[in-house]
């Protein structure tokens, strides 16, 4: 009996550690994708033909057709890993909220921001992927037509800042949690993360503005 009770916690500890590593690696992969995706789409600001050339290159090599579904699976996998630590019961949510107000700790509130944004991104990100992948090939004109029609502009005005805040917060928390920075470096990392978020939010808004003024 004592042997079994000793071994079981070790197994759980090892599995939790492996899942934490997988969560970190999947998170880093998605962070890199988001920054690359926003940078490439923002090429429309300079010229729609540049965006069309980039999109055509990706589709010609089946990176959009194959990479899109794979990316969605990675997206779901990362959410599944992160959801292990999210309280879905009302009692748990009340406890987290109570502790956050009591502790008044910035990183605790940052985690709450990540959780709330993750729930919204799960739904909105799936809608975005479906809208794009069901209307191939990707072109600046098609993207502009979609954004200029119906409520899509409001959809992206919410989604773009949410994604940026989520991935930048994730980048910060990964650096802190896994010891890539020291305690005395947190102030500098916070300034860098804030600047990075502002930079990409501005890029996202400028890209949306360009799509809204693009002739279709």
């Amino acid at each position: 009996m004592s042997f079994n009770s000793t071994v079981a916690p070790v197994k759980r500890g090892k599995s939790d550690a492996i899942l934490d590593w997988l969560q970190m690696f999947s998170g880093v992969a998605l962070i890199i994708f988001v920054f690359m995706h926003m940078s490439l789409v923002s090429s429309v600001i300079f010229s729609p033909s540049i965006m069309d050339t980039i999109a055509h290159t990706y589709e010609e090599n089946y990176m959009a057709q194959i990479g899109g579904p794979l990316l969605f699976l990675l997206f779901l996998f990362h959410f599944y890993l992160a959801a292990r630590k999210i309280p879905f019961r009302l009692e748990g949510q009340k406890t987290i909220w109570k502790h956050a107000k009591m502790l008044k700790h910035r990183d605790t509130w940052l985690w709450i921001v990540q959780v709330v944004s993750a729930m919204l991104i799960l739904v909105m990100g799936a809608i975005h992927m479906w809208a794009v992948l069901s209307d191939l090939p990707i072109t600046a004109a098609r993207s502009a037509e979609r954004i200029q029609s119906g409520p899509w502009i409001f959809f992206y005005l919410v989604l773009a800042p949410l994604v940026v805040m989520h991935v930048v917060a994730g980048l910060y928390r990964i650096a802190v949690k896994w010891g890539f920075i020291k305690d005395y470096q947190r102030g500098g990392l916070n300034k860098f993360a804030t600047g990075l978020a502002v930079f990409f939010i501005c890029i996202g808004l400028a890209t949306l503005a360009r799509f809204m003024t693009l002739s279709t």
Side-chain angles (χ1 to χ4, degrees):
M1 294 294 291
S2 60
F3 176 79
N4 290 337
S5 63
T6 303
V7 172
V10 174
K11 287 184 178 180
R12 285 198 298 270
K14 286 184 178 180
S15 64
D16 284 343
I18 292 172
L19 291 176
D20 279 348
W21 275 99
L22 290 174
Q23 181 181 339
M24 182 193 70
F25 284 126
S26 61
V28 169
L30 289 171
I31 289 170
I32 293 173
F33 167 79
V34 167
F35 289 154
M36 287 184 60
H37 177 64
M38 293 190 71
S39 298
L40 293 176
V41 174
S42 68
S43 62
V44 73
I45 298 173
F46 304 100
S47 172
S49 62
I50 296 177
M51 177 184 166
D52 290 344
T53 300
I54 294 173
H56 177 71
T57 301
Y58 272 78
E59 291 177 34
E60 193 175 38
N61 294 287
Y62 297 99
M63 295 179 69
Q65 296 88 334
I66 298 175
L70 290 177
L71 175 68
F72 184 65
L73 290 176
L74 177 64
F75 178 62
L76 292 178
F77 180 62
H78 179 72
F79 179 82
Y80 164 75
L81 294 173
R84 295 177 299 126
K85 301 176 182 179
I86 298 176
F88 289 97
R89 292 180 179 273
L90 182 60
E91 295 81 3
Q93 294 172 3
K94 288 181 178 179
T95 301
I96 291 293
W97 186 258
K98 180 180 178 181
H99 287 177
K101 291 194 295 183
M102 179 181 65
L103 292 172
K104 297 180 181 179
H105 190 250
R106 183 189 61 201
D107 287 7
T108 303
W109 285 109
L110 195 62
W111 181 80
I112 293 176
V113 168
Q114 270 206 295
V115 170
V116 174
S117 61
M119 297 299 180
L120 295 172
I121 292 170
L122 178 65
V123 177
M124 299 181 74
I127 294 172
H128 168 66
M129 290 183 186
W130 174 82
V132 172
L133 296 178
S134 63
D135 191 29
L136 295 175
I138 301 171
T139 64
R142 285 192 177 188
S143 298
E145 184 178 4
R146 181 173 69 254
I147 291 173
Q148 292 176 21
S149 62
W152 282 104
I153 181 61
F154 303 106
F155 177 86
Y156 286 113
L157 281 173
V158 173
L159 179 60
L162 267 180
V163 170
V164 172
M165 287 191 296
H166 185 84
V167 298
V168 171
L171 183 64
Y172 173 87
R173 295 189 68 246
I174 286 172
V176 171
K177 177 180 178 179
W178 295 97
F180 294 116
I181 64 158
K182 306 299 181 182
D183 286 343
Y184 68 89
Q185 296 174 312
R186 285 197 184 193
L189 177 63
N190 183 52
K191 292 180 181 178
F192 171 76
T194 302
L196 190 65
V198 171
F199 175 73
F200 273 99
I201 287 175
C202 289
I203 284 182
L205 294 177
T207 301
L208 290 174
R210 183 69 178 100
F211 279 131
M212 286 297 293
T213 58
L214 193 66
S215 300
T216 60

